[in-house]
Amino acid sequence: MDKTYQPEQIENRWYQRWEDNGHFAPSGKGDPFSIMIPPPNVTGSLHMGHAFQDTIMDTLTRWKRMQGNNTLWQVGTDHAGIATQMLVERKVAAEEGKSRHDLGRDAFTDRIWEWKQESGGHITRQLRRMGASVDWSRERFTMDDGFYKAVQEVFVQLFDKGLIYRGKRLVNWDPTFETAISDLEVENTEVDGQMWHFKYPLAGGETYEYIEKDADGNVTLRETRDYISIATTRPETMLGDGAVAVSPDDERYAPLVGKLCEIPVGPKEHRRLIPIITDEYPDPEFGSGAVKITGAHDFNDYAVAQRNAIPLYNLMDRKAHMRNDGLSYAESAALASRAARGEDIGSVDEINLVPTELRGLDRFAARRQVVEAVTAEGLAVTTPDEAGQEQPLVEHKKLMQPFGDRSGDVIEPYLTDQWFVAVEDLAKPAIAAVENGDIEFVPKNYENMYFAWMRDLQDWCISRQLWWGHRIPAWYDTEGKVYVARSEAEARERYGIAADVPLSQDEDVLDTWFSSGLWTFGTLGWPEQTPALETFHPTNVLVTGFDIIFFWVARMIMLTLEFTGEVPFKQVYVHGLVRDGQGNKMSKSKGNVLDPIDLIDGIDLETLVEKRTGNMMQPQKARAIAKATRQEFPQGIEAHGTDALRFTFLSQATTGRDIKFDIGRLDGYRNFCNKLWNASRYVLMNAEGQDCGTSPDGQGDEVELSLADRWIVSRLQQTEAQVTRAMQEYRFDHASQALYEFIWNEYCDWYLELSKPVLWDDEASAQAQRGTRRTLVRVLETVLRLAHPMMPYISEEIWQRVAPLAGTSHGEEDSLMVQPWPQADDSRIDEAAERDIEWLKGVIVAIRNIRAELNIAPGKPLTAMLTKGDADDRRRLDANRRFLAKLAKLESIDWLADADQAPLAATQLVGDLEVLVPMAGLIDKEAELTRLAKEIDKQDKLIDGIEKKLGNESFVAKAPEAVVQKERDKLDDLSTNRRLLVEQRDRIAAL
RNA sequence: AGGACCAUAGCUCAGUUGGUUAGAGCGCCACGUUGACAUCGUGGAGGUCGGCGGUUCAAAUCCGCCUGGUCCUACCA
């Protein structure tokens, strides 16, 4: 073995071998265990979140596989509609200077398929680097024919059940992608906005008495008005107003209800009149208390319009430009005014209420023009400025504005024909499944989040006006009548449409999450009743981030229950977000992204800086990021290997909490790998070619197990139990910590050291040496199995060399991957050995302490004595003299029968036992007195505390006897210790 | 506005049903290359467990309030 651990040399070859040997496919004889990978974007690349999540899934999968379960980790990728279309659209624009419209639908989707072909392997290669033991033979893609079939089937069946419908509704519209998006894809962000106040003149110049009162009913304002005042943040939508609404309880406007007012924009001769109505929606306390109702451009207004039969006038096109189609403004305005008076005017689609001069303008440009025009006309509400001049009232305030999560564009509520899933009936069983425990969230508090969302669910808009995705299986005849079926042929057959009647398929595609929602059963072959479906569904656990519970988890539960009658998974393990060391979200624009592959392979500083700032548009920001990067990683990032990265993730994986990725811990766990590596070197150096008492025929295997052997085996059982339990509880931090502590603090720090006196002592018996060698290799072999789910590469590499020596062959297989998971054996727990080793460690540490306190060179041989102990102490001394001498670097250590005969010595207590190191010629009198004074003081404080406690009658009366006794024992120990220290102090002072 | 979660050593975090002298890793200080390992060893310093109040014989742990932070949901034209 090489002297230092070099992960890059072992990782790639092992993955290849595992994959080639088919170790990832289900093969266990036990119960099925299955996990579905949350399918990453097929053209994406692996980020820290993936790496974290995949580590958890792989650890679970490997663990279950070793436990003998018939284990499937199903892998696949997602077509990721918007994200992929956007990417390829940009690429085509950059490389060919063409838009997707220039290419046309077929050519453009061909480009996406080409891009998938070209880059689709990237993320799967990265998954392999992480060691993910997914079954590649079952890899799926959401746009595969087979998966498409499942998607179609679900759509058709939901439609037939009346759970999918098509209709004209107000939806969130992304003007950049020119598609509807779901509520979830909208991010509300606070922005600086303005609110304008405008006067809507009353029809026919009518006036009324406007009276404002304070809380006590005293009149604070009384004036005659010929207008009603409204406030708006979106003046350009005034053109589509259908009414002005006031609260039914608002006395100020009571006289106006039922009358008409005029929208103060557009050519004067065609200004529209709209009714003043009452509705519960307006809040009299806010603004003027009167709200303009624009049903086609605002969700709240839409609801008011529905309740009051107010017409909806669409003002914009798909790009959120002011419409430039339909009837002329004059005709439109005339029709709309008739509607306002209650006349039936039929369809409003052709009505375009955008005045000629605004047609075709961007919505924000139109907004500016409307504000200018209204203000110029003197119809802005004014307020005096500091100089007493009347100025238009424009409030600058924070607004929550909706943005598309992908495009970053301002989302427009937009009236269009879309397909929807009626969720109410689907949600009920989905809620029940979590309530009754069929599905369990880990940690549990995410269930509340789930319930809250599920109980207030809106119908799900599933159609997208994109080109990349599953085309909606619906066909239209020339009259626009819709036929849903699995194919055009089926549509004709089902609905009896003659072959000569032309049908055209719906242009839209389905929301990506609609297909992702079928992931657990679609990947297993549904709608066919395949053996895989039978065996592996429902899956055992879904490992996912909380940010995706609504998008994905909830919809999977609904759709899976509906179509399979089963839950998709029994547990949902929810992990946190991977953040940077400061707790910030990692993002390209912040320039704080770490690439898991760079952490594995290392990256030099300049390349890292280039990576973070390469495509950055603003040079100033790029410089700041470069500076921060140089500061954080002055030497770049060195190679750590996959195992160290995985171990870091696991150690930080505490439930339901974001992780701040700590590169210091990554270094630490790389060192841990190195420690394991070197410990193994030691074991191999001492065991290879030697008699380990593990011959296959059992001949000549007589062994004698030392105290240390029995102890480490005992500790191993406990570690096995701890790690197993932690895994069951998804406490990967505890599992990794238990392993770390056992390997480093027990096996390396103590057991290996204790093995040296046996192996290197010519007088040690062959049986004893055999016993120690056997324990060395068998414990290591077991610990490698324990480590394997967490650190697959290094464990496999070392196991290959250790397993033959351990003689614990578990079958023909040559890989750790198919070895059994260690099972704790309580009969091998040896409490007496543990107590003896604790004693041994105590004495050694005591001597080391004395050495450090007296500033004695670590290598200087010392003489030590033990006294005041009991028969056990004597027995232990006699049995372990060799070990004490070696580990504490002693010339000799002996029993002193009469403590009064002790020479002046540094003293430490181990239980009742006193450990003495004679101090002749070693002592610095003043320093020692100071130290002792400090130590006595410390003891006094502790004694004080306990005495107070024991002096408290209610403590003695009410606390359990065991607790009281424990305190008494403690007091005893402390008092003895203190007395000793005082004696010591007096003796030294007397020198 | 409603809700969730978090606050423990300089940093990143453990701390199970209340009873420990409150732990680990990294960092820091001192000493040390004996034959697995300087990606190491030995020893050490460092914490009024965010604040206040309560329950209890006993609170980092349970309850209430407050402060600070993160996030989610819903939003007022």
Side-chain angles (χ1 to χ4, degrees):
Chain A
M1 281 174 84
D2 291 329
K3 190 169 171 183
T4 47
Y5 160 63
Q6 285 169 318
E8 66 280 6
Q9 300 195 351
I10 56 179
E11 293 182 353
N12 291 326
R13 80 161 175 262
W14 273 116
Y15 195 90
Q16 192 62 48
R17 216 168 123 183
W18 291 328
E19 191 177 342
D20 291 349
N21 287 356
H23 285 323
F24 300 153
S27 65
K29 310 242 183 311
D31 292 341
F33 179 87
S34 55
I35 297 186
M36 296 281 155
I37 201 168
N41 183 345
V42 66
T43 61
S45 57
L46 193 89
H47 56 61
M48 292 292 276
H50 292 127
F52 177 41
Q53 189 175 67
D54 294 336
T55 298
I56 289 170
M57 282 184 282
D58 192 49
T59 300
L60 282 171
T61 301
R62 286 179 186 265
W63 173 55
K64 284 292 174 182
R65 197 181 282 125
M66 289 176 81
Q67 285 195 322
N69 293 83
N70 189 21
T71 305
L72 169 66
W73 184 8
Q74 172 68 45
V75 70
T77 50
D78 194 280
H79 65 283
I82 288 188
T84 307
Q85 174 163 328
M86 174 171 78
L87 201 125
V88 176
E89 215 167 344
R90 281 193 194 146
K91 195 168 123 73
V92 169
E95 290 170 7
E96 306 172 44
K98 287 183 182 166
S99 75
R100 68 182 161 109
H101 298 285
D102 294 336
L103 288 176
R105 184 168 190 149
D106 290 343
F108 181 74
T109 47
D110 284 348
R111 292 296 156 86
I112 299 182
W113 280 107
E114 284 166 26
W115 171 242
K116 188 232 166 202
Q117 215 49 37
E118 205 178 302
S119 72
H122 188 58
I123 196 154
T124 53
R125 275 193 300 277
Q126 291 181 311
L127 258 175
R128 288 175 164 92
R129 289 293 322 264
M130 287 306 298
S133 61
V134 298
D135 183 358
W136 293 109
S137 71
R138 299 191 51 90
E139 185 178 358
R140 295 287 185 277
F141 176 49
T142 49
M143 291 275 280
D144 282 346
D145 291 343
F147 207 82
Y148 196 6
K149 203 174 153 198
V151 172
Q152 272 185 335
E153 187 63 32
V154 164
F155 187 96
V156 172
Q157 285 194 31
L158 283 176
F159 180 82
D160 289 346
K161 291 174 184 166
L163 294 174
I164 280 184
Y165 64 90
R166 183 178 145 88
K168 204 186 236 352
R169 297 282 186 286
L170 202 56
V171 296
N172 296 296
W173 185 266
D174 188 318
T176 297
F177 295 126
E178 299 179 39
T179 180
I181 57 177
S182 73
D183 299 352
L184 282 175
E185 291 159 277
V186 176
E187 279 175 5
N188 291 303
T189 312
E190 197 172 73
V191 296
D192 292 316
Q194 293 164 290
M195 190 162 77
W196 290 271
H197 295 256
F198 296 138
K199 298 173 177 175
Y200 280 39
L202 297 181
E206 207 171 322
T207 60
Y208 68 109
E209 196 79 337
Y210 178 83
I211 299 165
E212 261 176 27
K213 294 176 182 168
D214 62 19
D216 302 324
N218 304 312
V219 174
T220 55
L221 177 70
R222 181 191 292 271
E223 61 182 20
T224 303
R225 285 186 176 177
D226 60 355
Y227 64 88
I228 184 164
S229 167
I230 61 94
T232 181
T233 56
R234 302 210 51 198
E236 74 279 15
T237 67
M238 285 164 64
L239 298 159
D241 288 352
V244 168
V246 297
S247 163
D249 307 323
D250 197 333
E251 292 175 21
R252 294 171 297 177
Y253 301 115
L256 299 183
V257 173
K259 302 206 165 152
L260 296 173
C261 61
E262 187 180 87
I263 303 173
V265 278
K268 275 223 142 123
E269 62 278 22
H270 297 305
R271 291 227 171 129
R272 285 199 294 128
L273 295 174
I274 52 174
I276 297 170
I277 61 166
T278 58
D279 192 272
E280 295 298 333
Y281 167 59
D283 172 5
E285 304 299 318
F286 187 87
S288 68
V291 186
K292 72 187 204 58
I293 301 300
T294 321
H297 289 280
D298 181 279
F299 286 100
N300 287 311
D301 292 5
Y302 181 78
V304 177
Q306 293 291 304
R307 282 197 287 274
N308 296 280
I310 307 291
L312 310 171
Y313 300 115
N314 183 17
L315 299 169
M316 298 181 196
D317 65 16
R318 293 164 59 104
K319 293 187 162 71
H321 293 162
M322 305 309 283
R323 274 174 66 183
N324 199 5
D325 64 346
L327 299 172
S328 72
Y329 178 69
E331 291 168 300
S332 302
L335 270 174
S337 280
R338 282 171 47 203
R341 287 184 215 105
E343 292 177 36
D344 182 8
I345 54 164
S347 163
V348 298
D349 289 352
E350 285 300 301
I351 296 180
N352 178 354
L353 290 168
V354 181
T356 315
E357 68 273 19
L358 297 179
R359 291 193 176 195
L361 282 184
D362 176 79
R363 55 193 154 155
F364 303 108
R367 179 180 303 172
R368 282 191 295 276
Q369 286 204 20
V370 167
V371 171
E372 272 170 35
V374 177
T375 308
E377 209 179 311
L379 288 173
V381 174
T382 59
T383 188
D385 65 12
E386 289 137 15
Q389 298 288 315
E390 289 289 324
Q391 297 293 342
L393 174 57
V394 182
E395 289 179 64
H396 294 265
K397 54 185 282 181
K398 299 281 184 197
L399 298 175
M400 290 301 266
Q401 200 160 40
F403 292 90
D405 62 354
R406 292 289 177 174
S407 66
D409 201 355
V410 177
I411 294 306
E412 188 64 40
Y414 194 53
L415 198 58
T416 47
D417 285 307
Q418 302 289 348
W419 291 92
F420 294 87
V421 173
V423 292
E424 202 183 335
D425 289 346
L426 295 173
K428 280 179 197 153
I431 291 169
V434 176
E435 278 173 341
N436 66 25
D438 290 347
I439 297 173
E440 193 187 352
F441 281 71
V442 180
K444 207 150 185 78
N445 53 297
Y446 283 104
E447 289 179 5
N448 290 329
M449 185 170 153
Y450 172 80
F451 290 136
W453 191 70
M454 292 296 283
R455 284 172 184 147
D456 186 31
L457 208 49
Q458 305 294 309
D459 282 358
W460 173 18
C461 174
I462 51 170
S463 44
R464 296 289 180 274
Q465 288 65 50
L466 301 172
W467 289 351
W468 178 238
H470 300 109
R471 192 94 173 253
I472 290 178
W475 283 262
Y476 301 88
D477 63 19
T478 43
E479 281 154 27
K481 203 153 176 284
V482 63
Y483 307 100
V484 169
R486 291 161 189 82
S487 64
E488 185 179 332
E490 194 195 61
R492 288 182 190 280
E493 195 196 316
R494 281 181 80 176
Y495 298 100
I497 303 162
D500 58 344
V501 176
L503 288 179
S504 57
Q505 190 174 2
D506 196 311
E507 293 292 321
D508 292 351
V509 301
L510 288 163
D511 181 4
T512 304
W513 297 106
F514 186 85
S515 48
S516 317
L518 320 179
W519 190 242
T520 61
F521 56 103
T523 49
L524 296 175
W526 190 92
E528 310 304 324
Q529 282 301 318
T530 60
L533 191 63
E534 177 67 27
T535 307
F536 295 113
H537 203 275
T539 65
N540 292 72
V541 58
L542 179 76
V543 177
T544 189
F546 67 89
D547 50 330
I548 221 165
I549 289 181
F550 303 147
F551 276 107
W552 194 41
V553 180
R555 287 158 177 177
M556 275 174 111
I557 296 174
M558 289 192 285
L559 291 172
T560 310
L561 280 168
E562 178 70 18
F563 285 93
T564 66
E566 294 177 335
V567 294
F569 28 72
K570 294 165 197 159
Q571 287 186 307
V572 184
Y573 172 84
V574 183
H575 64 249
L577 225 60
V578 183
R579 296 169 178 277
D580 74 4
Q582 282 69 247
N584 300 306
K585 240 182 198 158
M586 289 190 189
S587 75
K588 278 202 180 103
S589 63
K590 276 190 214 141
N592 61 348
V593 171
L594 287 171
D595 182 335
I597 304 300
D598 293 340
L599 296 172
I600 293 170
D601 292 336
I603 183 170
D604 66 78
L605 181 57
E606 291 317 311
T607 314
L608 179 63
V609 168
E610 170 59 24
K611 220 171 150 173
R612 286 182 164 188
T613 59
N615 293 323
M616 206 137 275
M617 290 307 180
Q618 302 131 286
Q620 211 174 348
K621 199 168 158 190
R623 274 197 297 276
I625 289 169
K627 194 179 160 195
T629 302
R630 285 174 205 285
Q631 210 156 27
E632 195 177 354
F633 306 104
Q635 314 296 328
I637 296 171
E638 49 187 12
H640 294 88
T642 299
D643 287 324
L645 178 62
R646 290 172 59 118
F647 207 79
T648 307
F649 281 133
L650 294 169
S651 73
Q652 298 219 90
T654 60
T655 43
R657 183 167 171 154
D658 285 355
I659 68 175
K660 291 188 207 173
F661 190 80
D662 182 1
I663 198 121
R665 288 182 75 154
L666 180 61
D667 290 338
Y669 293 127
R670 190 266 327 268
N671 295 353
F672 173 58
C673 290
N674 186 59
K675 187 75 178 176
L676 175 59
W677 183 262
N678 276 296
S680 305
R681 280 181 64 222
Y682 167 82
V683 173
L684 291 171
M685 285 166 69
N686 286 286
E688 263 174 333
Q690 304 283 330
D691 181 357
C692 297
T694 55
S695 58
D697 58 5
Q699 291 295 305
D701 278 0
E702 302 81 33
V703 294
E704 179 189 318
L705 292 183
S706 70
L707 170 63
D709 294 336
R710 285 178 281 124
W711 166 73
I712 196 71
V713 167
S714 178
R715 291 295 307 134
L716 176 64
Q717 308 312 311
Q718 292 167 22
T719 304
E720 287 167 8
Q722 269 178 45
V723 173
T724 302
R725 199 177 65 164
M727 294 279 225
Q728 277 161 355
E729 293 169 347
Y730 299 102
R731 287 306 302 260
F732 305 103
D733 55 332
H734 290 167
S736 60
Q737 201 187 346
L739 185 71
Y740 182 98
E741 283 176 357
F742 178 79
I743 291 179
W744 202 314
N745 303 126
E746 304 197 276
Y747 188 69
C748 292
D749 285 352
W750 289 103
Y751 182 68
L752 295 193
E753 294 307 319
L754 290 168
S755 75
K756 288 174 184 175
V758 179
L759 297 179
W760 297 350
D761 182 352
D762 296 338
E763 289 170 28
S765 71
Q767 288 95 321
Q769 292 193 332
R770 219 180 271 147
T772 292
R773 289 198 195 99
R774 190 164 94 178
T775 308
L776 272 175
V777 292
R778 286 207 173 152
V779 170
L780 180 58
E781 192 275 337
T782 310
V783 113
L784 290 169
R785 279 186 281 139
L786 215 48
H788 183 254
M790 300 184 242
M791 316 162 83
Y793 292 116
I794 189 174
S795 55
E796 178 78 273
E797 177 76 16
I798 299 171
W799 187 85
Q800 291 296 320
R801 298 161 198 254
V802 171
L805 301 173
T808 49
S809 164
H810 300 283
E812 305 296 300
E813 291 290 355
D814 61 350
S815 171
L816 176 47
M817 273 203 70
V818 291
Q819 301 306 320
W821 177 250
Q823 276 211 299
D825 176 358
D826 285 351
S827 72
R828 304 180 75 189
I829 289 178
D830 186 335
E831 284 173 16
E834 291 195 29
R835 279 193 299 272
D836 283 355
I837 290 288
E838 281 315 307
W839 178 92
L840 185 68
K841 282 160 77 172
V843 174
I844 292 166
V845 167
I847 293 166
R848 284 177 182 165
N849 266 317
I850 290 170
R851 225 181 244 282
E853 276 158 12
L854 298 186
N855 234 337
I856 303 167
K860 184 181 167 75
L862 292 177
T863 301
M865 286 179 275
L866 300 182
T867 190
K868 288 198 182 165
D870 56 19
D872 265 345
D873 294 317
R874 290 203 68 147
R875 173 182 62 75
R876 284 165 170 154
L877 170 64
D878 290 337
N880 295 294
R881 197 169 263 114
R882 235 172 359 139
F883 298 101
L884 290 167
K886 171 79 182 158
L887 271 65
K889 301 196 170 61
L890 299 174
E891 223 158 39
S892 69
I893 178 162
D894 288 302
W895 191 259
L896 181 68
D898 184 356
D900 294 337
Q901 299 295 312
L904 179 62
T907 309
Q908 292 253 326
L909 271 187
V910 178
D912 292 332
L913 178 72
E914 282 179 29
V915 180
L916 308 178
V917 174
M919 296 168 77
L922 296 171
I923 195 173
D924 173 343
K925 185 176 166 185
E926 290 310 315
E928 186 59 8
L929 283 174
T930 314
R931 186 185 74 78
L932 286 168
K934 222 171 122 188
E935 192 60 29
I936 290 166
D937 199 51
K938 202 169 142 192
Q939 301 294 314
D940 280 343
K941 279 190 185 132
L942 292 172
I943 290 168
D944 235 40
I946 293 177
E947 278 178 343
K948 221 173 254 169
K949 214 179 219 179
L950 288 168
N952 183 343
E953 282 173 32
S954 43
F955 169 72
V956 180
K958 294 188 183 175
E961 182 51 32
V963 173
V964 177
Q965 191 51 46
K966 205 169 149 193
E967 291 298 315
R968 291 203 177 104
D969 292 347
K970 231 188 314 184
L971 183 61
D972 268 5
D973 288 352
L974 289 168
S975 304
T976 316
N977 205 6
R978 186 185 184 283
R979 183 172 41 71
L980 222 83
L981 289 163
V982 170
E983 282 172 22
Q984 183 79 352
R985 182 194 61 195
D986 294 346
R987 292 177 70 179
I988 290 173
L991 280 179

